PDB file of all heavy atoms in Angstrom:
ATOM      1  N   ILE A   2       2.004 -14.517   8.323  1.00  0.00           N
ATOM      2  CA  ILE A   2       0.815 -15.116   8.983  1.00  0.00           C
ATOM      3  C   ILE A   2      -0.054 -14.071   9.603  1.00  0.00           C
ATOM      4  O   ILE A   2      -1.299 -13.988   9.285  1.00  0.00           O
ATOM      5  CB  ILE A   2       1.222 -16.143  10.025  1.00  0.00           C
ATOM      6  CG1 ILE A   2       1.766 -17.351   9.345  1.00  0.00           C
ATOM      7  CG2 ILE A   2       0.055 -16.556  10.893  1.00  0.00           C
ATOM      8  CD1 ILE A   2       2.524 -18.366  10.267  1.00  0.00           C
ATOM      9  N   ILE A   3       0.477 -13.083  10.188  1.00  0.00           N
ATOM     10  CA  ILE A   3      -0.306 -12.051  10.806  1.00  0.00           C
ATOM     11  C   ILE A   3      -0.808 -11.045   9.769  1.00  0.00           C
ATOM     12  O   ILE A   3      -1.975 -10.667   9.723  1.00  0.00           O
ATOM     13  CB  ILE A   3       0.529 -11.171  11.856  1.00  0.00           C
ATOM     14  CG1 ILE A   3       0.925 -12.039  13.037  1.00  0.00           C
ATOM     15  CG2 ILE A   3      -0.175  -9.934  12.304  1.00  0.00           C
ATOM     16  CD1 ILE A   3       1.899 -11.410  13.982  1.00  0.00           C
ATOM     17  N   GLY A   4       0.029 -10.675   8.793  1.00  0.00           N
ATOM     18  CA  GLY A   4      -0.406  -9.722   7.774  1.00  0.00           C
ATOM     19  C   GLY A   4      -1.450 -10.260   6.918  1.00  0.00           C
ATOM     20  O   GLY A   4      -2.377  -9.515   6.519  1.00  0.00           O
ATOM     21  N   GLU A   5      -1.387 -11.485   6.529  1.00  0.00           N
ATOM     22  CA  GLU A   5      -2.348 -12.104   5.611  1.00  0.00           C
ATOM     23  C   GLU A   5      -3.606 -12.622   6.383  1.00  0.00           C
ATOM     24  O   GLU A   5      -4.627 -13.063   5.740  1.00  0.00           O
ATOM     25  CB  GLU A   5      -1.708 -13.284   4.761  1.00  0.00           C
ATOM     26  CG  GLU A   5      -0.613 -12.757   3.870  1.00  0.00           C
ATOM     27  CD  GLU A   5      -1.147 -11.937   2.648  1.00  0.00           C
ATOM     28  OE1 GLU A   5      -2.349 -11.897   2.412  1.00  0.00           O
ATOM     29  OE2 GLU A   5      -0.345 -11.238   2.103  1.00  0.00           O
ATOM     30  N   GLY A   6      -3.488 -12.691   7.702  1.00  0.00           N
ATOM     31  CA  GLY A   6      -4.618 -13.217   8.489  1.00  0.00           C
ATOM     32  C   GLY A   6      -4.853 -14.663   8.184  1.00  0.00           C
ATOM     33  O   GLY A   6      -5.890 -15.213   8.086  1.00  0.00           O
ATOM     34  N   ARG A   7      -3.756 -15.475   8.156  1.00  0.00           N
ATOM     35  CA  ARG A   7      -3.809 -16.935   7.936  1.00  0.00           C
ATOM     36  C   ARG A   7      -4.716 -17.538   9.024  1.00  0.00           C
ATOM     37  O   ARG A   7      -4.579 -17.113  10.171  1.00  0.00           O
ATOM     38  CB  ARG A   7      -2.453 -17.564   7.933  1.00  0.00           C
ATOM     39  CG  ARG A   7      -1.488 -17.018   6.924  1.00  0.00           C
ATOM     40  CD  ARG A   7      -1.812 -17.533   5.540  1.00  0.00           C
ATOM     41  NE  ARG A   7      -0.757 -17.279   4.587  1.00  0.00           N
ATOM     42  CZ  ARG A   7      -0.835 -16.714   3.484  1.00  0.00           C
ATOM     43  NH1 ARG A   7      -2.029 -16.314   3.047  1.00  0.00           N
ATOM     44  NH2 ARG A   7       0.153 -16.567   2.674  1.00  0.00           N
ATOM     45  N   PRO A   8      -5.569 -18.503   8.704  1.00  0.00           N
ATOM     46  CA  PRO A   8      -6.405 -19.133   9.701  1.00  0.00           C
ATOM     47  C   PRO A   8      -5.692 -20.172  10.537  1.00  0.00           C
ATOM     48  O   PRO A   8      -5.945 -21.371  10.383  1.00  0.00           O
ATOM     49  CB  PRO A   8      -7.536 -19.725   8.823  1.00  0.00           C
ATOM     50  CG  PRO A   8      -6.796 -20.113   7.486  1.00  0.00           C
ATOM     51  CD  PRO A   8      -5.811 -19.012   7.376  1.00  0.00           C
ATOM     52  N   THR A   9      -4.775 -19.690  11.284  1.00  0.00           N
ATOM     53  CA  THR A   9      -4.006 -20.584  12.179  1.00  0.00           C
ATOM     54  C   THR A   9      -3.462 -19.886  13.425  1.00  0.00           C
ATOM     55  O   THR A   9      -3.712 -18.576  13.552  1.00  0.00           O
ATOM     56  CB  THR A   9      -2.805 -21.158  11.359  1.00  0.00           C
ATOM     57  OG1 THR A   9      -2.293 -22.305  12.043  1.00  0.00           O
ATOM     58  CG2 THR A   9      -1.740 -20.194  11.094  1.00  0.00           C
ATOM     59  N   ALA A  10      -2.724 -20.539  14.261  1.00  0.00           N
ATOM     60  CA  ALA A  10      -2.156 -19.982  15.451  1.00  0.00           C
ATOM     61  C   ALA A  10      -0.871 -19.157  15.087  1.00  0.00           C
ATOM     62  O   ALA A  10      -0.107 -19.588  14.200  1.00  0.00           O
ATOM     63  CB  ALA A  10      -1.823 -21.030  16.430  1.00  0.00           C
ATOM     64  N   VAL A  11      -0.732 -17.953  15.647  1.00  0.00           N
ATOM     65  CA  VAL A  11       0.409 -17.146  15.423  1.00  0.00           C
ATOM     66  C   VAL A  11       1.585 -17.735  16.194  1.00  0.00           C
ATOM     67  O   VAL A  11       1.502 -18.176  17.221  1.00  0.00           O
ATOM     68  CB  VAL A  11       0.187 -15.703  15.870  1.00  0.00           C
ATOM     69  CG1 VAL A  11       1.435 -14.891  15.827  1.00  0.00           C
ATOM     70  CG2 VAL A  11      -0.953 -15.078  15.118  1.00  0.00           C
ATOM     71  N   PRO A  12       2.749 -17.911  15.509  1.00  0.00           N
ATOM     72  CA  PRO A  12       3.936 -18.418  16.135  1.00  0.00           C
ATOM     73  C   PRO A  12       4.286 -17.708  17.424  1.00  0.00           C
ATOM     74  O   PRO A  12       4.281 -16.446  17.528  1.00  0.00           O
ATOM     75  CB  PRO A  12       5.044 -18.234  15.106  1.00  0.00           C
ATOM     76  CG  PRO A  12       4.327 -18.179  13.806  1.00  0.00           C
ATOM     77  CD  PRO A  12       3.062 -17.432  14.070  1.00  0.00           C
ATOM     78  N   ASP A  13       4.805 -18.487  18.358  1.00  0.00           N
ATOM     79  CA  ASP A  13       5.311 -17.999  19.708  1.00  0.00           C
ATOM     80  C   ASP A  13       6.792 -17.678  19.671  1.00  0.00           C
ATOM     81  O   ASP A  13       7.302 -16.793  20.248  1.00  0.00           O
ATOM     82  CB  ASP A  13       4.974 -18.970  20.843  1.00  0.00           C
ATOM     83  CG  ASP A  13       3.538 -19.334  20.984  1.00  0.00           C
ATOM     84  OD1 ASP A  13       2.691 -18.395  21.185  1.00  0.00           O
ATOM     85  OD2 ASP A  13       3.216 -20.589  20.801  1.00  0.00           O
ATOM     86  N   LEU A  14       7.459 -18.587  18.990  1.00  0.00           N
ATOM     87  CA  LEU A  14       8.874 -18.676  18.948  1.00  0.00           C
ATOM     88  C   LEU A  14       9.351 -18.551  17.501  1.00  0.00           C
ATOM     89  O   LEU A  14       8.951 -19.322  16.665  1.00  0.00           O
ATOM     90  CB  LEU A  14       9.502 -19.943  19.555  1.00  0.00           C
ATOM     91  CG  LEU A  14      10.956 -20.216  19.502  1.00  0.00           C
ATOM     92  CD1 LEU A  14      11.683 -19.146  20.323  1.00  0.00           C
ATOM     93  CD2 LEU A  14      11.271 -21.565  20.015  1.00  0.00           C
ATOM     94  N   THR A  15      10.195 -17.547  17.128  1.00  0.00           N
ATOM     95  CA  THR A  15      10.731 -17.375  15.826  1.00  0.00           C
ATOM     96  C   THR A  15      12.226 -17.304  15.860  1.00  0.00           C
ATOM     97  O   THR A  15      12.888 -17.123  16.848  1.00  0.00           O
ATOM     98  CB  THR A  15      10.149 -16.088  15.186  1.00  0.00           C
ATOM     99  OG1 THR A  15      10.645 -14.910  15.912  1.00  0.00           O
ATOM    100  CG2 THR A  15       8.653 -16.190  15.137  1.00  0.00           C
ATOM    101  N   PHE A  16      12.800 -17.413  14.692  1.00  0.00           N
ATOM    102  CA  PHE A  16      14.379 -17.396  14.512  1.00  0.00           C
ATOM    103  C   PHE A  16      14.591 -16.765  13.143  1.00  0.00           C
ATOM    104  O   PHE A  16      13.740 -16.774  12.259  1.00  0.00           O
ATOM    105  CB  PHE A  16      14.920 -18.710  14.722  1.00  0.00           C
ATOM    106  CG  PHE A  16      14.490 -19.758  13.667  1.00  0.00           C
ATOM    107  CD1 PHE A  16      15.345 -20.107  12.663  1.00  0.00           C
ATOM    108  CD2 PHE A  16      13.328 -20.340  13.726  1.00  0.00           C
ATOM    109  CE1 PHE A  16      14.995 -20.937  11.723  1.00  0.00           C
ATOM    110  CE2 PHE A  16      12.858 -21.269  12.789  1.00  0.00           C
ATOM    111  CZ  PHE A  16      13.798 -21.587  11.765  1.00  0.00           C
ATOM    112  N   SER A  17      15.864 -16.445  12.950  1.00  0.00           N
ATOM    113  CA  SER A  17      16.305 -15.946  11.725  1.00  0.00           C
ATOM    114  C   SER A  17      17.008 -16.861  10.746  1.00  0.00           C
ATOM    115  O   SER A  17      16.736 -17.001   9.572  1.00  0.00           O
ATOM    116  CB  SER A  17      17.091 -14.690  11.874  1.00  0.00           C
ATOM    117  OG  SER A  17      18.311 -14.989  12.619  1.00  0.00           O
ATOM    118  N   ASP A  18      18.025 -17.609  11.324  1.00  0.00           N
ATOM    119  CA  ASP A  18      18.873 -18.458  10.520  1.00  0.00           C
ATOM    120  C   ASP A  18      18.682 -19.912  10.938  1.00  0.00           C
ATOM    121  O   ASP A  18      18.489 -20.797  10.021  1.00  0.00           O
ATOM    122  CB  ASP A  18      20.272 -18.066  10.600  1.00  0.00           C
ATOM    123  CG  ASP A  18      20.554 -16.669  10.059  1.00  0.00           C
ATOM    124  OD1 ASP A  18      19.966 -16.390   8.964  1.00  0.00           O
ATOM    125  OD2 ASP A  18      21.219 -15.873  10.748  1.00  0.00           O
ATOM    126  N   ARG A  19      18.809 -20.207  12.150  1.00  0.00           N
ATOM    127  CA  ARG A  19      18.847 -21.635  12.545  1.00  0.00           C
ATOM    128  C   ARG A  19      18.508 -21.716  14.027  1.00  0.00           C
ATOM    129  O   ARG A  19      18.887 -20.878  14.816  1.00  0.00           O
ATOM    130  CB  ARG A  19      20.230 -22.211  12.247  1.00  0.00           C
ATOM    131  CG  ARG A  19      20.473 -23.646  12.741  1.00  0.00           C
ATOM    132  CD  ARG A  19      21.975 -24.043  12.508  1.00  0.00           C
ATOM    133  NE  ARG A  19      22.325 -24.010  11.127  1.00  0.00           N
ATOM    134  CZ  ARG A  19      22.578 -25.085  10.432  1.00  0.00           C
ATOM    135  NH1 ARG A  19      22.457 -26.283  10.987  1.00  0.00           N
ATOM    136  NH2 ARG A  19      22.894 -24.976   9.158  1.00  0.00           N
ATOM    137  N   ILE A  20      17.848 -22.791  14.467  1.00  0.00           N
ATOM    138  CA  ILE A  20      17.566 -23.033  15.875  1.00  0.00           C
ATOM    139  C   ILE A  20      17.438 -24.551  15.980  1.00  0.00           C
ATOM    140  O   ILE A  20      16.980 -25.225  15.153  1.00  0.00           O
ATOM    141  CB  ILE A  20      16.228 -22.307  16.348  1.00  0.00           C
ATOM    142  CG1 ILE A  20      16.126 -22.339  17.832  1.00  0.00           C
ATOM    143  CG2 ILE A  20      14.952 -22.874  15.707  1.00  0.00           C
ATOM    144  CD1 ILE A  20      14.985 -21.468  18.351  1.00  0.00           C
ATOM    145  N   THR A  21      17.783 -25.075  17.210  1.00  0.00           N
ATOM    146  CA  THR A  21      17.621 -26.469  17.536  1.00  0.00           C
ATOM    147  C   THR A  21      16.670 -26.590  18.676  1.00  0.00           C
ATOM    148  O   THR A  21      16.820 -26.046  19.759  1.00  0.00           O
ATOM    149  CB  THR A  21      18.968 -27.044  17.911  1.00  0.00           C
ATOM    150  OG1 THR A  21      19.884 -26.985  16.778  1.00  0.00           O
ATOM    151  CG2 THR A  21      18.826 -28.550  18.302  1.00  0.00           C
ATOM    152  N   LEU A  22      15.664 -27.428  18.565  1.00  0.00           N
ATOM    153  CA  LEU A  22      14.675 -27.720  19.578  1.00  0.00           C
ATOM    154  C   LEU A  22      15.091 -29.166  20.221  1.00  0.00           C
ATOM    155  O   LEU A  22      15.414 -30.042  19.466  1.00  0.00           O
ATOM    156  CB  LEU A  22      13.326 -27.816  19.008  1.00  0.00           C
ATOM    157  CG  LEU A  22      12.798 -26.568  18.332  1.00  0.00           C
ATOM    158  CD1 LEU A  22      11.343 -26.837  17.954  1.00  0.00           C
ATOM    159  CD2 LEU A  22      12.775 -25.401  19.281  1.00  0.00           C
ATOM    160  N   GLU A  23      15.080 -29.171  21.530  1.00  0.00           N
ATOM    161  CA  GLU A  23      15.433 -30.412  22.210  1.00  0.00           C
ATOM    162  C   GLU A  23      14.253 -30.811  23.084  1.00  0.00           C
ATOM    163  O   GLU A  23      13.629 -29.986  23.756  1.00  0.00           O
ATOM    164  CB  GLU A  23      16.604 -30.183  23.113  1.00  0.00           C
ATOM    165  CG  GLU A  23      17.914 -29.851  22.331  1.00  0.00           C
ATOM    166  CD  GLU A  23      19.137 -29.769  23.158  1.00  0.00           C
ATOM    167  OE1 GLU A  23      19.040 -30.077  24.342  1.00  0.00           O
ATOM    168  OE2 GLU A  23      20.167 -29.323  22.664  1.00  0.00           O
ATOM    169  N   LEU A  24      13.890 -32.098  23.055  1.00  0.00           N
ATOM    170  CA  LEU A  24      12.795 -32.561  23.894  1.00  0.00           C
ATOM    171  C   LEU A  24      12.979 -34.055  24.133  1.00  0.00           C
ATOM    172  O   LEU A  24      13.153 -34.832  23.211  1.00  0.00           O
ATOM    173  CB  LEU A  24      11.476 -32.348  23.120  1.00  0.00           C
ATOM    174  CG  LEU A  24      10.119 -32.792  23.971  1.00  0.00           C
ATOM    175  CD1 LEU A  24       9.956 -31.859  25.176  1.00  0.00           C
ATOM    176  CD2 LEU A  24       8.957 -32.665  22.982  1.00  0.00           C
ATOM    177  N   GLY A  25      12.966 -34.413  25.369  1.00  0.00           N
ATOM    178  CA  GLY A  25      13.085 -35.883  25.769  1.00  0.00           C
ATOM    179  C   GLY A  25      14.256 -36.520  25.234  1.00  0.00           C
ATOM    180  O   GLY A  25      14.248 -37.708  24.800  1.00  0.00           O
ATOM    181  N   GLY A  26      15.421 -35.828  25.185  1.00  0.00           N
ATOM    182  CA  GLY A  26      16.657 -36.415  24.614  1.00  0.00           C
ATOM    183  C   GLY A  26      16.764 -36.455  23.087  1.00  0.00           C
ATOM    184  O   GLY A  26      17.719 -37.019  22.571  1.00  0.00           O
TER     185      GLY A  26
END
């Protein structure tokens, strides 16, 4: 995204294999 200059927001949080997001149960 950074290298190609995609017209969007740059990610804040990244991961390599797996991640779980929790919100409101």
Side-chain angles (χ1 to χ4, degrees):
I2 288 167
I3 294 171
E5 297 291 343
R7 301 284 193 233
T9 196
V11 174
D13 305 299
L14 175 63
T15 64
F16 64 99
S17 58
D18 297 314
R19 176 185 296 252
I20 191 173
T21 299
L22 302 180
E23 299 182 9
L24 183 67

